[in-house]
Amino acid sequence: MPMLACSRRLIGDMAHLTALLLTSVLVFVLSATPTLSIVTGGATARRSSSLNHGPARTYVVLVQPPAHAHHDDEAAHRRWHESFLRPGSRPGAGRTAGGDPPTIRHSYTGVFSGFAAKLTEDELAAVSRKRGFVRAFPERRVPLMTTRTPGFLGLHAKQGVWNATNYGEGVVVGLLDTGIAASHPSFGDEGMPPPPARWKGKCQPPVRCNNKLVGLVSLMGGNDTTDAVGHGTHTAGTAAGYFVDDVSAFGLGRGTAAGIAPGAHLAMYKVCDGEGCFESDILAGMDAAVKDGVDVLSLSLGGPSIPLDKDLIAIGAFGMMSKGVLVVCAGGNSGPTPSTLSNEAPWILTVGAGSVDRSYRATVQLGDGEAFDGESLTQDKRFSSKAYPLYYPQGTSYCDYFDGVNITGKVVVCDTETPLPPLNSIEAVKAAGGAGVVFINEADFGYTIVVEKYYNLPMSQVTATDGAKIMGYARVGSSGAAHTATILFNSSIVHVKPAPIVAAFSSRGPNAASPGVLKPDIMAPGLNILAAWPSMVPIDGKESYSYNVASGTSMATPHVTGVVALVKKAHPDWSPSAVKSAIMTTSSTADNAGNPIMDEEHRTASFYSIGAGHVDAAKAVDPGLVYDLGVGDYSAYICALLGEAAMKTITGNSSLTCAAVGSIPEAQLNYPAILVPLSDKPFKAKRTVTNVGPAKSRYTAHLDVPKWLKVKVEPEALEFTAAMEKKAFTVTVSSRGADADADAGQLAEGSLRWVSEDHVVRSPIIADARVVST
C-alpha cells in the first residue's frame, strides 16, 4: 500500500492492530483530472487483470434511476444497472481477455443510484455513452483512522441523560468497520428489548443476532464477518457496548465498561480489513445501512482531502442525510499539520481527538531526586524501585544496537523521534540485557503520549520536554559520576488535569475542500481509549485479551456516534443537521481545570483543532436552539462552491438546477459555526435558529471576542412564543484597523453565546484572512 509516512509509524502493527495512521498518509489519491481518465500512480485497482487498452479496475458508476421503477424495487434497479454492462453494447463484444464480461460488484439504490464494477478503459468509455450515465469514479482504498469516558462526558448510571433516554434504547447504531467479535460480553443483550419493528437488518450466518447485535454482514465478498483486526470491535464497544463489570486492560483501568449509548442496538457492516477499506465496499455498507433502517452511521475511516464532488464518502453521506441519517466520521490522524482533514463535507459530523482524565502512570525518578511523570501499559510490579545505572547512547539515541556496550541491568534512555517506541529498539535493549527503558516522545507530539501493549520490558514514555531534562542528567559529567534512575509504576490514575488536551495526531483545519466551513466540528476522547477487543487477535504477539487500549480519531468518532444515538432517542423527529447543531452548540471550550482547552504544546487550542469544542453528552439532548439545514440548503451551497455539475453529482438529481435551488456562499450557510474573512471591511453573516426549548423564551446575545475584533449582532435579543419558531439574526465582523490587523495576524477567534434562563447556545466565530469573501 503506497504511502508517505514521514518519520512516524502506525499506531500498532497493521498485522496486529488497527491500521490507524498517526501522520500524513496519502493512500490511493483520486485524480483531479476528468473522471473518465485512468489514475496512474495513485489509486490501486482491486484484482487487476490484463485487457484491451489497459488493465481492468474497479469503478463506482453513478447513473440516473430507472424511469419507471419504484424506489423499493431492488430487482428493477439491478436490471437497470446490469443493462450498462450487457454484452454487445460496447467495443470488443464486452468480454475481458479471459472471456468473462464485467459483472456488478455492488448495486446501490439507497444512498444514490449506481453500481460498482471492474472495467477497462474501453468498457468504461462504452458505459459512459449509454443513456442514464452520470459519472464514474476510480475507487480509492482509504485507511482506518471504555471504562472511563462515559463518566468523563457527564454520563452516570440511573441519572441525568442516561436515565432520560433509557441509555439510547430503541436506537440502531450502524458502523462501517472491520467486523466484530460477536460473542464478546460487551455485545451481550441481557435485559435488552428487541429492535424496533421497522428494523430490516439481519446477521450473516453462522452468526446469530441478539437484541444488542441486530445486524452483521460483510460487504467484502464471502461470509467472514469476524474482526481479525480489532478495530471494529473497539469502535462498536465504544459507541454502544453493554455494561460489563470488573474489566481492565492488562490489569489497568479496572472498572465497569460501557459504551456511550449502552442501551442502543448495534449493526456492523464489514467493509475493511487491516489494509484499509475500498470505497465500493464503503458505499455498499452505506446503502445497506440506510435500507436496513439505522438511525446513525459511524465511519472511523477516511482518505486525504479531495473536492466534495469527487469524494465518494461525502456523496454517500449526502444520500444518507437526505434520508434522515446523520453520518459521523473521523477527522483523520495527520496532525498537528494544518489542513490535513478527512471527511470535510458540512453534512458530515467530523470528529477530532483529545485526551481523557486518566493516565497509565509510570514515573521516572532520577538519582538527583527529580521525577517525571510518563505513561506505560507495560507496568511490571516486580520491577524494583531501587536505583539502576542510567545509560544514554553516545552519538546516537535510537537504541537499535549495542555492539560492544554493556547495558546489563541498566535503564536505557532512547530518543527515537517517533510517537511510539519501535519494536526493534525494545528488542535490542532486551537482547542486550537492559533492565528497563525510558522512551522520549517525538518533539512534534508535545504532551501527547500514545501508549500500546506491545512491549514486555519495563518502560516509561515521557514528553520531549521532560526527555530533554532526563537526557541532560543521563550524560556523564566531567566528574565521571554514575547517574541512576528507576521507574515507579502507579497503575492508572483518574481526574488528571488538565483534560481534555488536543491529541497531537488529530488532523487540523482549515478545511481544504471548503475553506469557509469550520472543520473538525467537534472533539471527543480519542487518546488511549480502553474498549472491547476480540480475544482472537493477540495484542503483544502471543497473549489474548478481551479489552485493549487504542488511539486515533477512530476512537473519538464512536464517542460522538453514541451521543448522537442519545439525542435521537430524545428527539427522534430531529433532522441530521439539528442533531449536529445540538452537539456543537452545547460543547465545551474549557478543560476540567476551568481553563481554555489546550493543544499538544499546551497552547490555547484553535477552533481549527477542536471544532466547536469538546462534546458534552450531558447537555446535547437539550440545546434550546438549533441551526437547521436541509437538502435544499446544501444543494444551494454546492452550487456556490462547485457549480451545477457538482451539485447534480452529489445530490444524485440530474434534473435539479442551480437556478432552481439558488446559491448559498459558505459564510451564509446556516452552520452552527461562523467563519468569515478577516478584514477591516465589515462582513455580514446571516443565521437562523429554531426554538426547540420552552415555547416562551428570550435569548440575549453575549460576545466573547478579542479586543482587535469588532463584532455586532442584530438583533441583540430573540423573543420566542412557540416551539419550533424560527428567528433570524446577522453577525457583522471586522478588524479594528491596521494596528489591530497586526495584532490579530491572519486569524482571530471568539464566540457568540445566546443566553436564556435555561440555555446557553454557543457558536464559534472565526475571522480568517485566508478566507475569500463571497
Side-chain angles (χ1 to χ4, degrees):
M1 183 169 59
M3 62 179 67
L4 172 65
C6 299
S7 63
R8 305 173 186 166
R9 54 164 287 189
L10 297 177
I11 301 181
D13 186 338
M14 272 192 181
H16 299 291
L17 195 56
T18 66
L20 294 176
L21 304 184
L22 281 178
T23 185
S24 179
V25 180
L26 305 181
V27 185
F28 308 144
V29 182
L30 185 64
S31 173
T33 56
T35 54
L36 293 186
S37 65
I38 299 294
V39 178
T40 58
T44 296
R46 186 199 306 264
R47 296 183 293 277
S48 296
S49 62
S50 179
L51 198 72
N52 295 337
H53 293 89
R57 58 172 304 167
T58 301
Y59 286 86
V60 174
V61 181
L62 275 59
V63 299
Q64 295 176 11
H68 304 294
H70 190 270
H71 70 275
D72 287 334
D73 191 344
E74 295 287 335
H77 280 268
R78 188 171 184 93
R79 287 193 300 271
W80 168 241
H81 296 160
E82 288 173 340
S83 72
F84 287 84
L85 305 179
R86 284 176 187 155
S89 63
R90 56 194 179 281
R95 293 191 175 271
T96 66
D100 295 325
T103 58
I104 287 178
R105 176 174 175 80
H106 297 296
S107 179
Y108 309 117
T109 61
V111 292
F112 52 69
S113 177
F115 60 89
K118 192 173 174 183
L119 303 168
T120 65
E121 284 188 75
D122 283 351
E123 290 168 336
L124 180 59
V127 168
S128 70
R129 291 192 292 268
K130 300 204 72 173
R131 179 182 58 83
F133 172 85
V134 175
R135 197 166 181 179
F137 301 83
E139 76 167 350
R140 302 180 300 166
R141 176 185 272 168
V142 298
L144 294 162
M145 296 283 163
T146 150
T147 60
R148 177 62 191 163
T149 49
F152 185 60
L153 298 183
L155 299 172
H156 305 283
K158 298 181 180 180
Q159 58 180 294
V161 171
W162 264 357
N163 187 60
T165 63
N166 204 16
Y167 306 96
E169 179 184 300
V171 177
V172 181
V173 173
L175 299 99
L176 305 189
D177 219 297
T178 60
I180 195 169
S183 61
H184 193 284
S186 286
F187 311 125
D189 67 344
E190 182 179 354
M192 285 193 66
R198 60 178 170 79
W199 176 247
K200 298 178 181 178
K202 60 183 179 181
C203 287
Q204 196 167 318
V207 175
R208 298 182 63 182
C209 288
N210 62 19
N211 288 338
K212 165 59 75 173
L213 184 62
V214 298
L216 176 59
V217 62
S218 172
L219 284 308
M220 302 179 70
N223 296 320
D224 184 10
T225 56
T226 58
D227 183 7
V229 181
H231 191 270
T233 300
H234 199 281
T235 57
T238 301
Y242 205 53
F243 292 99
V244 182
D245 292 331
D246 194 30
V247 306
S248 69
F250 336 113
L252 304 174
R254 190 171 299 279
T256 298
I260 302 302
H265 309 284
L266 279 167
M268 172 63 70
Y269 302 86
K270 183 174 180 177
V271 299
C272 308
D273 57 22
E275 294 183 353
C277 328
F278 281 109
E279 285 178 316
S280 63
D281 298 336
I282 294 171
L283 291 173
M286 287 182 165
D287 205 65
V290 75
K291 288 186 282 191
D292 286 345
V294 301
D295 295 295
V296 57
L297 190 66
S298 187
L299 281 72
S300 289
L301 50 87
S305 175
I306 55 176
L308 298 182
D309 62 326
K310 295 180 174 64
D311 186 343
L312 287 172
I313 293 176
I315 295 171
F318 189 98
M320 297 203 74
M321 176 275 299
S322 70
K323 306 243 175 118
V325 180
L326 180 57
V327 178
V328 186
C329 290
N333 300 325
S334 298
T337 306
S339 294
T340 51
L341 287 160
S342 300
N343 303 311
E344 299 159 300
W347 49 88
I348 291 173
L349 180 48
T350 308
V351 186
S355 65
V356 295
D357 64 341
R358 175 166 59 192
S359 172
Y360 300 99
R361 186 63 56 81
T363 301
V364 179
Q365 184 166 312
L366 304 181
D368 65 359
E370 274 204 278
F372 302 92
D373 289 333
E375 295 199 53
S376 178
L377 293 181
T378 309
Q379 300 206 4
D380 189 345
K381 297 297 185 181
R382 298 167 297 178
F383 190 73
S384 173
S385 59
K386 72 175 186 179
Y388 293 84
L390 190 62
Y391 175 76
Y392 178 68
Q394 299 296 318
T396 178
S397 56
Y398 292 106
C399 299
D400 290 334
Y401 59 90
F402 298 93
D403 292 347
V405 178
N406 180 15
I407 65 167
T408 301
K410 297 180 180 180
V411 170
V412 181
V413 179
C414 298
D415 180 14
T416 61
E417 296 186 1
T418 59
L420 281 169
L423 289 174
N424 62 319
S425 295
I426 295 284
E427 292 164 355
V429 172
K430 186 175 182 180
V437 61
V438 175
F439 274 102
I440 298 170
N441 217 25
E442 179 180 4
D444 285 351
F445 265 49
Y447 289 85
T448 296
I449 297 178
V450 180
V451 295
E452 277 188 352
K453 181 69 165 83
Y454 268 116
Y455 320 111
N456 51 12
L457 188 70
M459 64 173 290
S460 176
Q461 292 173 241
V462 298
T463 67
T465 300
D466 289 346
K469 298 174 183 177
I470 294 171
M471 285 190 293
Y473 170 82
R475 295 186 178 96
V476 177
S478 58
S479 64
H483 291 190
T484 61
T486 191
I487 304 173
L488 306 176
F489 296 114
N490 298 306
S491 189
S492 55
I493 60 174
V494 296
H495 306 300
V496 173
K497 294 181 179 181
I501 295 172
V502 180
F505 55 77
S506 186
S507 290
R508 313 297 159 92
N511 182 342
S514 184
V517 173
L518 178 65
K519 289 287 176 170
D521 293 304
I522 200 77
M523 186 174 78
L527 178 65
N528 303 330
I529 303 302
L530 191 158
W533 194 258
S535 59
M536 62 175 284
V537 182
I539 293 174
D540 56 9
K542 57 182 179 179
E543 294 191 54
S544 296
Y545 301 91
S546 295
Y547 291 86
N548 190 19
V549 173
S551 295
T553 53
S554 277
M555 282 64 246
T557 300
H559 283 90
V560 176
T561 302
V563 176
V564 172
L566 298 177
V567 177
K568 286 292 289 183
K569 172 64 177 180
H571 307 285
D573 57 337
W574 279 11
S575 71
S577 294
V579 174
K580 178 177 177 177
S581 172
I583 290 172
M584 291 177 67
T585 61
T586 59
S587 64
S588 174
T589 57
D591 61 28
N592 59 357
N595 300 314
I597 293 174
M598 296 187 291
D599 68 10
E600 70 285 345
E601 297 291 349
H602 279 192
R603 303 165 301 200
T604 299
S606 165
F607 288 126
Y608 284 139
S609 298
I610 65 173
H614 192 267
V615 64
D616 189 334
K619 294 180 180 178
V621 299
D622 184 21
L625 305 173
V626 295
Y627 296 79
D628 209 356
L629 287 161
V631 170
D633 302 300
Y634 287 124
S635 299
Y637 152 83
I638 299 166
C639 283
L641 181 69
L642 296 170
E644 187 167 280
M647 184 272 293
K648 292 175 183 286
T649 296
I650 295 172
T651 63
N653 188 343
S654 59
S655 64
L656 202 59
T657 65
C658 288
V661 301
S663 178
I664 299 179
E666 292 168 301
Q668 308 305 331
L669 187 68
N670 199 41
Y671 214 63
I674 299 166
L675 177 52
V676 299
L678 177 61
S679 169
D680 57 0
K681 297 179 181 179
F683 186 93
K684 295 181 182 289
K686 298 179 180 179
R687 293 292 188 271
T688 300
V689 288
T690 303
N691 180 26
V692 294
K696 293 185 177 181
S697 53
R698 185 177 191 272
Y699 289 82
T700 56
H702 296 253
L703 290 166
D704 305 297
V705 297
K707 61 182 181 180
W708 56 79
L709 197 65
K710 184 178 180 180
V711 181
K712 184 178 182 180
V713 181
E714 299 176 292
E716 295 181 345
L718 301 175
E719 295 273 358
F720 294 94
T721 58
M724 304 308 294
E725 184 180 359
K726 297 180 183 293
K727 293 285 185 181
F729 64 91
T730 300
V731 180
T732 305
V733 181
S734 63
S735 63
R736 295 184 182 273
D739 293 339
D741 287 344
D743 291 335
Q746 288 191 308
L747 184 68
E749 297 185 338
S751 293
L752 164 63
R753 292 177 292 120
W754 287 108
V755 180
S756 73
E757 290 185 359
D758 305 304
H759 299 92
V760 176
V761 186
R762 184 184 54 82
S763 289
I765 298 175
I766 306 99
D768 192 333
R770 296 163 294 184
V771 173
V772 177
S773 176
T774 54

